[in-house]
Amino acid sequence: MKKFNIRKVLDGLKEVSSSTPSVQVGPQENHLIQETLQSEHFQLCKTVRHGFPYQPSSMAFDPVQKILAIGTQSGALRLFGRPGVECYCQHESGAAVIQLQFLINEALVSALADDSVHLWNLRQKRPAILHSLKFNRERITFCHLPFQSKWLYIGTERGNIHIVNVESFMLSGYVIMWNKAIELSSKAHPGPVVHISDNPMDEGKLIIGFESGIVVLWDLKSKKADYRYTYDEAIHSVAWHHEGKQFICSHSDGTLTIWNVRGQGKPIQTITPHGKQPKDGKKPEPCKPILKVEYKTTRNGDPFIILSGGLSYDTVGRRPCLTVMHGKSTAVLEMDYPIVDFLTLCETPYPNDFQEPYAVVVLLEKDLVVIDLAQNGYPIFENPYPLTIHESPVTCCEYFADCPVDLIPALYSVGSRQKRQGYSKKEWPISGGNWGQGTQSYPEIIITGHADGTVKFWDASAIMLQVLYKLKTAKVFDRNRSKEDKGSTETSDEDPFAIQIMSWCPESRMLCVAGVSANVIIYRFSKLEVTTEVVQLLEVRMQYELNDIESPDGGGGGGEQTSAHPTPGASPQTSGPPSHPSTSSNNSDGGNIPCLKVRSTPLKQSPGYQVDLVVQLVWVSGEPPQQITSLALNSSYGLVVFGNSNGLAVVDYIQKTVVLNLGTVELYGSNDPYQRQPRSPRKTRQPSGAKMSRKLSLPTELKPDLDHRDNSFSRSRSSSVTSIDKEAREAISSFHFCETFARKGDSTLTHCLYVGTSLGTVLALALTLPPAGEQRQLQPVIISPTGMLVRLKGSILRMAVLDSTGSQVPPAYEPWYEPNVTADGEEREKVRKRRPVSVSPSTSQDLNESQYAVVCSEKQAKVISLPSQTCIYKHSITETSFILRADVVQMSQGVCVACFCANGHIMTLSLPGLRPLMDVNYLPLTDMRIARTFCFTNLGQAMYLCSPTEVQRITYSQDTCENLQEMLGELFTPVETPEAPNRGFFKGLFGGGAQSLDREELFGELAAGKASRSLAQHIPGPGGIEGMKGAASGVVGDLARARIALDERGQKLGELEERTAAMMASADSFSKHAHEMMLKCKDKKWYQF
């Protein structure tokens, strides 16, 4: 049902009443500020993607380059080298990557679920596709590319094997048909090909595993099967012993069978790794399928058999396991998530040498684990990649570029103490590539807030990402909730500690977080450990109700009054002494219960962020508190302010008091522009009946509903009041602390707080602070509303102040000091007395129009001249959509407003003139996650969560786009392929060595003919020519360059050929039909005709 939206009506009324022309500029102001930012300073491009590849489906490793590749279900490809070297590519079709194979020390081949195969050139910083081949009639199930071969075997669902030349990406005419492979050994179709590999000692012999349980050893030269091995359980994978005399199969009943190549009939050994062996010699009970097995030999010792799956069916609730069998010992390694794939890393790329395995890379659904095989107990390596973004789902983000330089070292030093112990002592084995040579080096920090209440700080400098420090905010609360506790039984929610909004002051290192359970926690940074005996707590009542029921005089204004005071006698004061009535916490009227219980036992706080104060909104008259929609902190003033759909509260965290607690309506005073409807009278409910809606919301109250099933932005506002209330309710959507002219015509600057609401109003509050030092501890902060500054269409998102030259005036801050100084009182007093750094402009400047206020809402932006409070610039940003995020950012050339719109556009506007500088349609469809996590920061950087596990960083700065190639790491480095193993004199003499095979002779066009044209089509990739420039050496590179040279010569001959081609076309169609006929008949035996 479409809701009646009073806001639209109000917007209409507003438009009529405030008929300002779109741009108003006085003649003398026209040349006041020379804007330095031009549209050529902006360009939008993706920089890097960090985090764990979302929904991984396959994996490959290049043992020479030491690069790991991971493919996903959405066709993404992530390549990892040494820590800090990673790269993201995407297959255009978006089909799942079913298999990856490195052309070792050369390139990468990917096979997709849409039956296409692609060759990636890795010799450029951003890998590109050189060739693609799309199968039309057959489904790809398995690929195999032998080491140092250019012929790729492709197995299909029909049981056939096709062969592709990876240089030209042309199909060979050589096909292994399923019926020829099994002949009369089975009456039924053997099922899809699940495995192909060549005998390590004889390239001419190919093992083909069919799903039904048949394995065929195929002789490529004689084009017939040498041996067939049948087992009555389905096969999942096959692996060779390096000497080529034995192989091992894993089956769907949890068994492993080991076969001699020449032995017919039965396996020489059958093992059920997790099966209980019955005493009477019967078969062990079946287990879950063994999905993959690897068989790796060592020069001095027993071979390793490594497998995934195969657990017995009675282990209910047991976690997924990797089993490592070595000699007589069997180690079962439990994993946190299901195993997608695993690979054993070996010392040699040659399959016919002792493998010497040293590590196992295990790809899980939500993690990447590397196990050290060489150390006792198989410890895991410490993962250096930033793959833990999603440890708990991300609920909000903030991004800070150009932070104070001492900040990252300070966070790193407290974070390094949080590291786990017991990792492998060895170096991380995935070590390929080289770091970029970027020159941009300013400190960047990303902060992520999570559903379990953790806050993570990340070093994001120089397009890398590394976790610095992790803060657990849930430690402040009691986790075990008692059943009698009225409030907590109602708020039955999976993530009661989830972080909703964060406010951070990098200079003072003060941090403030708002949680979904209507709580605000203020943290100070300390390098010293401290034990807090009692966590300081303030309880605040925020109410929005009609006093008709209580007061006989019917209230004032539109028949509505917001009572923010629990004591009937309290006058609605705007400022007051620390003993403000709203902090009372007596449990008299069935309310006053917070949603979470703050712990009562002493709290040991490690170095890092330590709780200074907890503020909780409490239930009032059986109504749960409304979620906090906006939050701001100022370290110079010692104040934190937060608002919701009832009003706002200002907390003095130095004195630990509530300074102000006002309903939204009271902010306006007598000149409230809105005719608010009285609330429908209703009886005071008991808490037992109500549930607090604790859906995570966007910071604005007018947010899209966070329903993950529906990606469209519906405008319903989730709050636990009736729909009649919803429309009349005005939430506080943003704050800005500043030093400015509080009132119209003021001649001096004062400390101010701007308040933006969801109905588009900006109100100003003047702050009177006591002098610094001892007075600041004792005297109250006084706050007085000074009225409305401006009204805009849509909810207010961002406010800022510029000085008379057009530069941004940053809010005042206090430099960081160590809060836990244990020295004598005098020393501590000295620390306390340091004057806050107020970066306000000097009052000696020309006071005629000496500042500009910038206000941006969901729909438009305005620039107001201060202190005259006249609107001098106005720009309508979007009519049909609405803005999700807006930030006033500092570029190297000046200041601008950056906006991200719900329709996927990213825009920048100049300041103060609001000229459009850039407008790019960046994302066609914006989902809720992107809306909640998108943020801009200074110097043209921005980020958002593109999947639940990955952060995408983008830049809108021309400078960064130009330097990006230098900043990106190189995946491919020139490495010599190690020499082939020496087989020894006697083996060479008596023919025990590896047999080589001239595949060209077998699969080339001369011997095998051309493949059927309708089977697959060849598509040249976009990375072709560019790739050739990058391809400096190697078989594929040399041949490809030669081919390109031939192509150029061939162009001249081509014109002549065209004439001939017409004559040949008719002959060609004849040959085509004949060829198809021949294919149909070729592989049929006499009994099939």
Side-chain angles (χ1 to χ4, degrees):
M1 187 186 113
K2 193 167 186 295
K3 286 196 184 128
F4 167 69
N5 198 338
I6 202 166
R7 183 166 161 239
K8 297 239 167 63
V9 179
L10 291 169
D11 281 349
L13 291 169
K14 214 162 24 171
E15 276 305 285
V16 177
S17 61
S18 63
S19 55
T20 37
S22 62
V23 177
Q24 249 189 2
V25 185
Q28 81 285 7
E29 293 167 350
N30 209 352
H31 308 294
L32 272 183
I33 295 177
Q34 185 69 44
E35 288 184 3
T36 47
L37 273 174
Q38 302 302 328
S39 51
E40 60 263 22
H41 293 136
F42 294 92
Q43 185 188 340
L44 195 72
C45 70
K46 291 183 180 181
T47 52
V48 276
R49 184 174 288 206
H50 303 293
F52 183 76
Y54 183 54
Q55 294 179 326
S57 54
S58 56
M59 172 172 67
F61 182 71
D62 184 324
V64 178
Q65 285 289 329
K66 298 208 176 334
I67 310 171
L68 183 76
I70 295 176
T72 74
Q73 290 177 26
S74 57
L77 199 55
R78 290 284 293 282
L79 294 142
F80 295 92
R82 64 178 60 199
V85 176
E86 54 178 289
C87 162
Y88 157 75
C89 319
Q90 178 71 44
H91 291 91
E92 269 182 33
S93 67
V97 180
I98 53 173
Q99 206 178 341
L100 291 170
Q101 286 258 297
F102 273 100
L103 185 57
I104 291 174
N105 209 10
E106 280 294 328
L108 176 69
V109 173
S110 58
L112 269 56
D114 65 355
D115 311 306
S116 59
V117 191
H118 308 270
L119 178 71
W120 290 85
N121 172 29
L122 304 180
R123 292 167 185 261
Q124 52 202 70
K125 289 198 171 178
R126 292 226 156 146
I129 291 176
L130 288 169
H131 295 285
S132 301
L133 192 65
K134 176 95 167 66
F135 281 76
N136 299 325
R137 298 190 309 218
E138 298 218 42
R139 315 258 11 218
I140 298 173
T141 53
F142 193 88
C143 298
H144 171 61
L145 182 63
F147 180 44
Q148 291 183 322
S149 157
K150 63 174 188 181
W151 296 95
L152 171 72
Y153 302 108
I154 296 179
T156 68
E157 200 171 47
R158 289 188 188 173
N160 304 326
I161 292 176
H162 299 280
I163 299 168
V164 175
N165 180 327
V166 288
E167 287 173 0
S168 62
F169 248 55
M170 292 299 181
L171 271 171
S172 161
Y174 191 117
V175 182
I176 304 171
M177 303 302 276
W178 68 269
N179 51 356
K180 196 133 187 234
I182 64 162
E183 296 210 303
L184 297 172
S185 64
S186 162
K187 290 177 182 165
H189 188 281
V193 175
V194 292
H195 181 84
I196 310 167
S197 60
D198 47 340
N199 184 324
M201 283 297 176
D202 186 352
E203 296 175 347
K205 302 279 197 274
L206 204 60
I207 272 265
I208 306 163
F210 294 99
E211 193 179 65
S212 65
I214 299 175
V215 177
V216 173
L217 185 68
W218 181 263
D219 186 321
L220 287 165
K221 279 185 187 158
S222 64
K223 303 188 185 177
K224 63 178 182 24
D226 278 1
Y227 296 104
R228 296 185 182 86
Y229 317 86
T230 44
Y231 191 71
D232 51 8
E233 288 294 338
I235 292 179
H236 283 279
S237 74
V238 184
W240 280 102
H241 184 285
H242 86 271
E243 287 174 351
K245 291 173 182 161
Q246 283 184 351
F247 60 89
I248 186 167
C249 300
S250 75
H251 298 278
S252 57
D253 63 346
T255 57
L256 296 173
T257 53
I258 299 177
W259 304 76
N260 270 342
V261 169
R262 295 175 188 279
Q264 280 289 322
K266 287 196 167 168
I268 54 166
Q269 197 182 353
T270 303
I271 315 166
T272 311
H274 295 280
K276 294 187 180 69
Q277 297 292 338
K279 296 210 170 77
D280 49 8
K282 286 184 187 160
K283 274 180 82 175
E285 59 183 67
C287 293
K288 293 175 185 169
I290 295 176
L291 299 175
K292 183 172 181 180
V293 64
E294 295 214 333
Y295 194 6
K296 301 294 178 189
T297 50
T298 55
R299 203 165 244 106
N300 347 321
D302 296 305
F304 282 88
I305 295 176
I306 301 164
L307 55 119
S308 63
L311 293 179
S312 68
Y313 279 103
D314 59 4
T315 49
V316 179
R318 181 134 177 222
R319 295 196 293 183
C321 293
L322 186 83
T323 308
V324 181
M325 297 163 73
H326 184 223
K328 292 201 169 71
S329 77
T330 299
V332 180
L333 310 174
E334 287 201 340
M335 302 291 156
D336 291 339
Y337 306 102
I339 297 172
V340 175
D341 195 3
F342 73 88
L343 293 171
T344 312
L345 309 191
C346 300
E347 296 290 355
T348 175
Y350 290 91
N352 57 4
D353 194 8
F354 285 99
Q355 296 297 288
E356 304 294 350
Y358 59 91
V360 184
V361 181
V362 191
L363 177 63
L364 308 175
E365 274 182 11
K366 293 185 178 178
D367 201 2
L368 182 74
V369 177
V370 183
I371 297 158
D372 184 352
L373 285 180
Q375 238 171 293
N376 282 341
Y378 304 133
I380 64 168
F381 288 86
E382 185 177 0
N383 196 322
Y385 305 135
L387 302 182
T388 57
I389 292 167
H390 61 286
E391 222 170 7
S392 166
V394 175
T395 51
C396 56
C397 302
E398 291 298 334
Y399 189 3
F400 300 86
D402 220 6
C403 303
V405 285
D406 56 347
L407 204 47
I408 288 175
L411 286 164
Y412 181 77
S413 70
V414 293
S416 55
R417 303 174 202 193
Q418 302 176 325
K419 294 246 169 86
R420 265 181 44 194
Q421 299 305 310
Y423 287 115
S424 165
K425 305 280 186 290
K426 292 216 187 84
E427 287 284 305
W428 180 250
I430 303 160
S431 56
N434 283 320
W435 291 314
Q437 303 298 313
T439 48
Q440 283 189 342
S441 57
Y442 41 83
E444 295 175 72
I445 290 179
I446 288 173
I447 308 180
T448 52
H450 299 262
D452 64 354
T454 52
V455 175
K456 286 184 188 170
F457 290 79
W458 304 82
D459 175 2
S461 316
I463 70 169
M464 292 196 189
L465 193 70
Q466 185 185 5
V467 71
L468 289 170
Y469 172 73
K470 184 171 158 185
L471 166 68
K472 293 180 176 168
T473 64
K475 278 186 179 169
V476 175
F477 303 105
D478 272 343
R479 279 178 179 270
N480 45 349
R481 301 194 188 161
S482 57
K483 281 281 179 281
E484 307 86 73
D485 193 356
K486 259 190 202 163
S488 61
T489 49
E490 303 320 319
T491 56
S492 54
D493 201 77
E494 307 85 70
D495 301 316
F497 308 111
I499 307 290
Q500 190 157 352
I501 316 172
M502 301 178 291
S503 177
W504 187 50
C505 171
E507 287 79 14
S508 67
R509 303 184 192 169
M510 291 294 297
L511 171 72
C512 184
V513 298
V516 286
S517 301
N519 56 295
V520 171
I521 314 174
I522 299 159
Y523 288 92
R524 286 183 188 275
F525 184 84
S526 169
K527 292 180 177 176
L528 306 172
E529 187 176 291
V530 67
T531 300
T532 308
E533 292 302 320
V534 180
V535 175
Q536 295 265 3
L537 171 67
L538 276 180
E539 291 186 346
V540 180
R541 292 166 56 104
M542 285 175 100
Q543 240 173 319
Y544 177 95
E545 63 177 48
L546 212 60
N547 277 2
D548 280 359
I549 310 158
E550 292 137 39
S551 59
D553 59 84
E560 173 185 349
Q561 195 176 335
T562 305
S563 155
H565 311 286
T567 44
S571 61
Q573 63 208 82
T574 52
S575 60
S579 60
H580 196 275
S582 62
T583 58
S584 77
S585 56
N586 58 326
N587 222 350
S588 54
D589 62 351
N592 284 358
I593 305 161
C595 299
L596 295 172
K597 194 163 177 280
V598 172
R599 63 185 286 162
S600 45
T601 50
L603 176 65
K604 184 181 159 199
Q605 307 210 62
S606 313
Y609 275 100
Q610 299 173 350
V611 181
D612 195 48
L613 178 65
V614 179
V615 184
Q616 285 186 299
L617 294 186
V618 295
W619 285 62
V620 178
S621 328
E623 285 275 342
Q626 292 295 302
Q627 276 197 354
I628 292 165
T629 52
S630 50
L631 176 74
L633 166 146
N634 186 293
S635 59
S636 170
Y637 308 160
L639 299 178
V640 162
V641 57
F642 58 91
N644 63 11
S645 55
N646 289 341
L648 68 100
V650 180
V651 170
D652 176 347
Y653 62 77
I654 292 171
Q655 294 183 19
K656 313 276 189 281
T657 57
V658 178
V659 181
L660 181 71
N661 180 350
L662 267 188
T664 320
V665 186
E666 289 175 295
L667 276 170
Y668 287 97
S670 55
N671 48 6
D672 183 356
Y674 300 111
Q675 288 299 307
R676 294 167 202 270
Q677 292 302 313
R679 215 164 85 150
S680 54
R682 86 178 138 199
K683 300 227 164 36
T684 301
R685 289 185 299 163
Q686 287 309 306
S688 56
K691 277 201 174 158
M692 177 184 176
S693 129
R694 230 202 260 117
K695 274 171 125 180
L696 251 170
S697 59
L698 279 166
T700 56
E701 213 267 338
L702 296 153
K703 59 194 167 288
D705 206 353
L706 222 160
D707 188 350
H708 290 294
R709 288 161 307 211
D710 173 25
N711 263 341
S712 64
F713 280 107
S714 60
R715 280 301 209 158
S716 75
R717 311 182 212 167
S718 69
S719 72
S720 52
V721 288
T722 62
S723 56
I724 305 169
D725 285 343
K726 279 186 198 174
E727 299 302 349
R729 185 157 288 198
E730 182 173 15
I732 306 294
S733 58
S734 59
F735 295 112
H736 183 66
F737 283 104
C738 50
E739 314 262 319
T740 185
F741 303 99
R743 295 167 183 83
K744 197 169 184 169
D746 268 11
S747 58
T748 54
L749 298 170
T750 45
H751 307 303
C752 261
L753 169 62
Y754 280 164
V755 180
T757 77
S758 58
L759 294 183
T761 311
V762 178
L763 301 143
L765 301 174
L767 315 173
T768 310
L769 300 169
E774 204 175 315
Q775 299 290 315
R776 180 65 186 84
Q777 307 281 329
L778 307 170
Q779 292 184 19
V781 174
I782 295 167
I783 302 181
S784 39
T786 60
M788 195 163 70
L789 177 70
V790 67
R791 295 238 310 281
L792 279 78
K793 272 190 196 173
S795 182
I796 302 292
L797 297 179
R798 187 68 63 210
M799 300 170 283
V801 175
L802 309 179
D803 65 15
S804 56
T805 64
S807 313
Q808 192 175 358
V809 180
Y813 62 84
E814 178 181 62
W816 177 77
Y817 62 87
E818 174 56 67
N820 300 326
V821 180
T822 45
D824 50 85
E826 204 175 302
E827 184 67 33
R828 188 158 188 164
E829 205 46 50
K830 216 191 282 178
V831 170
R832 272 272 184 217
K833 269 191 181 154
R834 271 206 306 209
R835 277 292 324 192
V837 179
S838 178
V839 265
S840 60
S842 60
T843 40
S844 61
Q845 62 173 308
D846 176 21
L847 291 178
N848 179 20
E849 304 296 348
S850 59
Q851 276 191 342
Y852 302 94
V854 181
V855 185
C856 186
S857 77
E858 289 178 319
K859 295 281 187 186
Q860 54 180 181
K862 285 186 181 179
V863 173
I864 317 297
S865 177
L866 300 174
S868 69
Q869 294 192 3
T870 51
C871 173
I872 54 166
Y873 297 105
K874 175 177 161 185
H875 179 72
S876 173
I877 303 171
T878 173
E879 292 294 335
T880 51
S881 185
F882 56 99
I883 294 162
L884 291 163
R885 175 82 186 209
D887 288 289
V888 174
V889 289
Q890 181 73 49
M891 303 288 284
S892 46
Q893 299 90 355
V895 193
C896 67
V897 183
C899 309
F900 174 55
C901 201
N903 60 15
H905 280 251
I906 292 178
M907 295 165 272
T908 57
L909 305 171
S910 72
L911 283 177
L914 299 179
R915 286 178 301 119
L917 296 172
M918 178 184 82
D919 183 351
V920 178
N921 187 2
Y922 173 67
L923 287 167
L925 179 80
T926 304
D927 67 12
M928 200 51 230
R929 184 184 311 101
I930 297 172
R932 202 174 58 231
T933 56
F934 198 102
C935 32
F936 294 99
T937 184
N938 295 336
L939 302 167
Q941 308 292 347
M943 64 154 281
Y944 59 91
L945 252 78
C946 54
S947 77
T949 62
E950 294 164 292
V951 163
Q952 177 67 56
R953 286 164 71 181
I954 58 177
T955 181
Y956 48 98
S957 144
Q958 174 68 40
D959 294 353
T960 312
C961 286
E962 282 173 3
N963 293 328
L964 189 59
Q965 275 306 102
E966 283 173 34
M967 294 166 76
L968 291 171
E970 275 180 289
L971 275 166
F972 196 92
T973 45
V975 185
E976 285 293 314
T977 302
E979 280 186 21
N982 185 3
R983 301 307 304 164
F985 174 71
F986 287 106
K987 280 208 170 162
L989 198 63
F990 299 111
Q995 302 287 313
S996 66
L997 167 82
D998 187 349
R999 294 188 179 95
E1000 185 67 49
E1001 201 178 296
L1002 269 178
F1003 306 145
E1005 207 171 302
L1006 287 171
K1010 283 189 174 176
S1012 159
R1013 292 194 190 145
S1014 58
L1015 183 62
Q1017 67 199 81
H1018 174 253
I1019 306 152
I1025 305 298
E1026 189 190 343
M1028 288 318 124
K1029 291 175 191 157
S1033 64
V1035 192
V1036 174
D1038 291 339
L1039 281 156
R1041 273 199 302 282
R1043 189 176 321 106
I1044 281 191
L1046 280 169
D1047 280 355
E1048 286 166 1
R1049 263 178 269 154
Q1051 272 175 359
K1052 297 181 179 105
L1053 294 167
E1055 293 159 13
L1056 182 68
E1057 270 180 22
E1058 274 168 25
R1059 295 175 203 147
T1060 328
M1063 289 151 62
M1064 286 175 70
S1066 56
D1068 202 37
S1069 67
F1070 174 74
S1071 78
K1072 189 172 150 189
H1073 290 306
H1075 183 66
E1076 280 171 11
M1077 192 69 197
M1078 184 262 299
L1079 271 181
K1080 275 180 194 160
C1081 308
K1082 186 175 83 171
D1083 294 304
K1084 288 190 175 176
K1085 292 281 170 274
W1086 58 268
Y1087 53 80
Q1088 288 174 312
F1089 278 101

